[in-house]
Amino acid sequence: MKLRSREVVSGLEGLPRRALLKADGLTDADIERPFVAIANSYNQVVPGHLHLRELGEAAAAGIRAAGATPFEFNTIAICDGLAQGHIGMCFSLPSREVVADSVELMLEAHRFDAVVAIASCDKIVPGMLMALARVNIPAIMITGGPMMPGEWQGQPLDIISAFEAVGAVKAGKLSEREAREIEDRCCPGCGSCAGLFTANTMACLNEAIGMSLPSMGTVHAVDAKKRRLAKQSGAQVVKLLRQGITPCRIMTRAAFENAIIVDMTIGGSTNTVLHLPAIAHEAGVKLCLDTFDRLSRRTPHICNLRPEGSHTMLDLERAGGVPAVMKRLGRLIRGSPLTVTGRRVRENLKFVRSSGSDVIRPLTKPYHREGGIAILYGSLAPQGAVVKYAGVRPRMLRHCGPARVFGREEDAVKAILGGRIKRGDVVVIRYEGPKGGPGMREMLAPTATIAGMGLLESVALVTDGRFSGGTRGACIGHVSPEAAEGGPIAVVREGDKILLDIRRRKLELLVPGPELKERLVRFKPPEPRAKKGYLELYQRIVSSAAEGAIRR
């Protein structure tokens, strides 16, 4: 077992560095042991991170018990819920790269031997995984766990209930007093937002890839089992160090395909189509959009969780969580990938009992015969677009209507709340892609408003931005090429007819070919929006959403 930390502390030359470590309170015995980092995104801003300090303490106890020395440091975490609907959302997706870079910098500069990464929420889990693949020292992920669901009038609540309440009040379907009651009850404590939104989807997929201990993805934040798993994870990473098992031995193509299959079968967030390719890129694996669609076509959708379904993350946890889902999928899951248990997937699943709960349906009785996400192509999206198939009402699987065109999210929300969007319309929001936003904002405010106003079965939304995992309805995002790069979405005109046919994977701008070509030739992109700071840099280096919005 070769220890990188010996570069820091060995020999006479290590004397001054040992002196600095002793200033931290370390003894000679501590310095002689392997050094294990704890990369933690704890903060007092994000509900999903409030409790991560406790998980760090539990992981440190496990590391010490296994004979190594823990060192904890922090990285940033942005709450997508707090950033929604204003300029702050421009900074959310770009923060993924900052998380990855900051973890890499700390691990490499201090020559840690192994790392426990502790995170929750949308961009932080993928950012951590990107760093773990990049540095490729023995590593394990601890995800913070879902928030408990709220409750009002006998119905489960989560943060999407609050967003949709805004539209419901505007439509006269809910009083302001009732909306305030939802506000007070929908988020009852710490944890990542309670539905199968991006945070909880990524926690489940992290487990499916094999980078966390079984059951980690669905154990709730307030459950003592989460702290026990954190302690076990601390001890387990020391075993991985002794066995020489590193992330790139775990995060193989087969492992990523297992994660995509789990994503499709549980109906996860469309943001995974950005995050999995970015993580895979760091691990030396290329995932293209066609991989998602190919696996979706042969994977049944067997879990119907909020926001579209009636079940909560708590229901999924009680039904056995990710291990029970993977067990139910049977031969659709590849058994060969290695995991952080030190065993292969098939060995981990060998003793998992198949769920008897209707939360995880049999493969013969799926909600949909195909998976929860579909990739669309056509004259409006030559390089692809993404839709949460599982969240679309049947009558909207094929829709043709006039375009209502907006150059930014705020203008679209004003139009929707002002009653200017009519049944049958296709709302187009452009210049919200990775470059155009910049930062590829989520469109939760307009989609939740459409839902709250009762327009889910009559209005579609198309954007080069992206959607929250809490989005439901005929909402097509990641349209590529984006408007800022001269994609066809840049030349859509008010009233143009747009056809979406999700079953046939089509997204078409119904404009004659020669006219569309002429519009594109005459198109001149506007000046970049960001003039300074991190976003100015980001818009220059970020790739297309079709490539995962990775750094070029």
Side-chain angles (χ1 to χ4, degrees):
M1 177 177 64
K2 184 178 180 180
L3 298 180
R4 303 189 337 156
S5 59
R6 300 311 94 179
E7 299 171 30
V8 177
V9 300
S10 291
L12 179 62
E13 295 80 1
L15 188 150
R17 295 186 287 271
R18 293 195 298 271
L20 288 168
L21 291 169
K22 287 181 177 179
D24 291 339
L26 270 64
T27 66
D28 287 329
D30 293 330
I31 293 171
E32 289 173 4
R33 299 182 184 117
F35 288 1
V36 178
I38 299 173
N40 199 331
S41 55
Y42 160 77
N43 64 59
Q44 295 181 335
V45 179
V46 187
H49 293 69
L50 287 174
H51 62 302
L52 298 189
R53 177 183 284 173
E54 296 176 18
L55 299 186
E57 291 170 352
I63 291 165
R64 289 192 191 95
T69 300
F71 295 81
E72 187 167 7
F73 65 85
N74 286 84
T75 189
I76 64 167
I78 289 175
C79 177
D80 278 18
L82 291 172
Q84 282 288 349
H86 55 81
I87 194 67
M89 180 49 73
C90 289
F91 294 85
S92 177
L93 182 59
S95 76
R96 185 186 72 184
E97 315 307 312
V98 175
V99 170
D101 291 348
S102 63
V103 173
E104 175 198 5
L105 289 168
M106 287 293 288
L107 296 179
E108 293 287 36
H110 300 107
R111 311 311 291 154
F112 285 109
D113 301 309
V115 56
V116 176
I118 305 177
S120 194
C121 298
D122 298 35
K123 310 306 162 303
I124 306 89
V125 171
M128 291 269 197
L129 287 169
M130 289 165 66
L132 301 187
R134 192 183 297 170
V135 179
N136 200 34
I137 59 175
I140 196 166
M141 276 289 310
I142 298 171
T143 50
M147 183 185 292
M148 294 293 288
E151 187 274 334
W152 183 64
Q153 295 186 352
Q155 298 297 315
L157 295 178
D158 50 47
I159 187 60
I160 304 306
S161 309
F163 277 98
E164 293 186 357
V166 176
V169 170
K170 285 286 186 179
K173 297 182 177 184
L174 203 67
S175 70
E176 288 195 30
R177 180 187 60 80
E178 290 172 319
R180 288 298 295 269
E181 289 180 8
I182 290 172
E183 174 187 328
D184 289 341
R185 296 176 182 223
C186 67
C187 297
C190 66
S192 48
C193 298
L196 187 64
F197 315 142
T198 306
N200 291 324
T201 300
M202 283 307 306
C204 290
L205 301 196
N206 166 68
E207 184 181 333
I209 289 171
M211 283 301 296
S212 65
L213 293 179
S215 298
M216 180 67 77
T218 56
V219 174
H220 280 49
V222 296
D223 193 334
K225 183 180 177 182
K226 182 66 78 173
R227 292 191 292 278
R228 296 196 298 273
L229 282 170
K231 190 172 184 179
Q232 292 165 13
S233 297
Q236 183 61 26
V237 81
V238 180
K239 291 183 181 179
L240 296 175
L241 174 60
R242 290 171 179 151
Q243 295 168 348
I245 296 175
T246 59
C248 288
R249 290 185 60 192
I250 294 170
M251 290 195 272
T252 61
R253 168 165 288 280
F256 282 109
E257 292 198 356
N258 278 348
I260 294 171
I261 289 167
V262 169
D263 190 15
M264 299 304 165
T265 207
I266 63 177
S269 165
T270 52
N271 281 316
T272 60
V273 182
L274 293 172
H275 297 324
L276 289 179
I279 299 163
H281 174 74
E282 299 293 350
V285 176
K286 184 172 177 57
L287 289 183
C288 61
L289 291 181
D290 289 342
T291 304
F292 285 82
D293 203 60
R294 171 176 57 83
L295 294 175
S296 180
R297 287 179 183 273
R298 66 181 183 87
T299 304
H301 174 220
I302 61 175
C303 296
N304 202 23
L305 306 178
R306 287 183 60 84
E308 181 62 17
S310 59
H311 295 131
T312 65
M313 289 300 297
L314 187 59
D315 295 325
L316 180 58
E317 160 64 7
R318 289 170 174 169
V322 174
V325 171
M326 296 178 76
K327 181 80 168 184
R328 179 59 58 86
L329 287 168
R331 292 182 179 178
L332 290 174
I333 290 292
R334 302 274 289 275
S336 60
L338 190 62
T339 73
V340 292
T341 64
R343 301 185 297 270
R344 301 194 180 275
V345 169
R346 68 170 71 89
E347 296 168 310
N348 288 342
L349 296 179
K350 188 174 182 180
F351 299 106
V352 174
R353 296 178 62 183
S354 294
S355 171
S357 168
D358 63 355
V359 175
I360 306 172
R361 283 190 173 183
L363 299 184
T364 54
K365 295 181 180 179
Y367 290 97
H368 301 97
R369 293 178 63 184
E370 295 184 359
I373 292 174
I375 308 300
L376 313 183
Y377 293 95
S379 59
L380 189 52
Q383 294 176 5
V386 180
V387 64
K388 190 172 183 177
Y389 196 159
V392 181
R393 301 288 173 86
R395 67 180 296 171
M396 291 297 290
L397 291 173
R398 191 179 192 281
H399 178 80
C400 185
R404 305 298 309 281
V405 184
F406 303 92
R408 61 178 191 155
E409 176 189 3
E410 290 87 346
D411 294 339
V413 172
K414 286 179 184 177
I416 298 165
L417 290 174
R420 290 186 280 131
I421 300 302
K422 307 301 181 185
R423 295 182 181 277
D425 286 348
V426 179
V427 176
V428 176
I429 306 178
R430 61 193 179 196
Y431 297 107
E432 292 285 8
K435 287 183 178 296
M440 201 178 186
R441 288 197 287 181
E442 287 186 346
M443 301 288 131
L444 180 55
T447 61
T449 305
I450 287 169
M453 296 184 74
L455 298 173
L456 272 182
E457 296 193 1
S458 59
V459 170
L461 195 156
V462 176
T463 180
D464 53 7
R466 61 192 177 91
F467 295 113
S468 163
T471 290
R472 56 197 180 115
C475 301
I476 293 87
H478 306 204
V479 170
S480 299
E482 62 173 293
E485 291 195 312
I489 192 171
V491 297
V492 177
R493 295 175 181 171
E494 188 80 6
D496 282 347
K497 288 293 180 69
I498 293 176
L499 170 69
L500 62 102
D501 190 335
I502 295 173
R503 289 195 181 96
R504 295 179 60 205
R505 306 299 203 263
K506 293 291 185 182
L507 181 62
E508 303 285 359
L509 176 60
L510 301 183
V511 170
E515 180 182 344
L516 177 57
K517 186 176 181 180
E518 183 182 353
R519 289 187 193 179
L520 290 170
V521 168
R522 295 171 61 186
F523 170 74
K524 293 183 179 180
E527 285 290 314
R529 284 178 173 167
K531 304 298 184 183
K532 63 179 181 179
Y534 184 63
L535 290 184
E536 191 277 330
L537 170 66
Y538 184 81
Q539 70 191 4
R540 287 192 281 115
I541 63 175
V542 68
S543 76
S544 164
E547 299 172 0
I550 61 175
R551 183 167 53 204
R552 292 188 192 277

